[in-house]
Amino acid sequence: MAVRVPPRWVVRTAWAIHRGIYRVSGGRVGLSKPKPAKYGTLRLTTTGRRSGQPRSVLLAYYEDGPDLVLMSMNGWGEGHPAWWLNLRAQPDAIAEVDGVRREVRGRRTDSDERARLWERWHVYDKRLDEWAALRDTEAVVIVLEPRPA
């Protein structure tokens, strides 16, 4: 059976509910560390590329040593998500994971590293390539590295 993305309003509603639960719980619910077969959820705060204001989003991730690995899939919709455009313009950001704030620097992966990290995403989603094929926009694999002190 082919993968099918729900209507955009369903995706946006799910995001709004997740953010609401996070907000109402004071951050106690909504973030999680990755498990062997389940990706984690972090809160990434970037600087708006136009506004200069902090912008936060909840994202799936997994750990690769000290680094956090993300994908810019935009809810399986076309184009790049605003958080990635913000991070590309200003790479320094804050990642919150399991109650701990980390100062990070984001960067796009290159061909060999991207292929290795993309393959690791298959642990969490066996149909990743099918989902990605629904988009004309290539998913960017992003690494959040600890920021030097």
Side-chain angles (χ1 to χ4, degrees), residues 46 72 80-89 106-108 140 142:
T46 61
S72 69
H80 295 294
W83 65 265
W84 166 237
L85 300 175
N86 291 342
L87 194 62
R88 193 171 63 184
R107 65 175 176 78
R108 177 184 198 132
V140 178
I142 296 117

Side-chain angles (χ1 to χ4, degrees), residues 30-138:
L31 304 183
S32 61
K33 292 189 69 70
K35 295 178 176 49
K38 175 80 172 111
Y39 57 79
T41 305
L42 62 75
R43 181 175 188 230
L44 180 67
T45 303
T46 61
T47 301
R49 64 194 178 286
R50 289 184 276 215
S51 70
Q53 299 299 309
R55 301 289 184 226
S56 295
V57 62
L58 303 180
L59 299 168
Y61 81 101
Y62 70 84
E63 295 173 336
D64 185 52
D67 300 334
L68 308 173
V69 181
L70 315 170
M71 270 190 299
S72 69
M73 290 301 257
N74 202 21
W76 305 110
E78 285 302 328
H80 295 294
W83 65 265
W84 166 237
L85 300 175
N86 291 342
L87 194 62
R88 193 171 63 184
Q90 172 48 264
D92 290 345
I94 302 292
E96 294 176 54
V97 178
D98 207 25
V100 177
R101 291 172 50 97
R102 301 183 193 183
E103 292 188 1
V104 294
R105 180 162 295 140
R107 65 175 176 78
R108 177 184 198 132
T109 57
D110 63 15
S111 60
D112 290 342
E113 182 183 35
R114 181 191 187 283
R116 177 180 69 82
L117 296 174
W118 181 266
E119 191 58 37
R120 281 211 39 218
W121 270 110
H122 287 93
V123 169
Y124 308 107
D125 188 346
K126 307 278 186 243
R127 301 180 82 183
L128 180 63
D129 295 324
E130 292 174 63
W131 289 108
L134 297 175
R135 297 166 26 103
D136 290 330
T137 308
E138 181 183 50

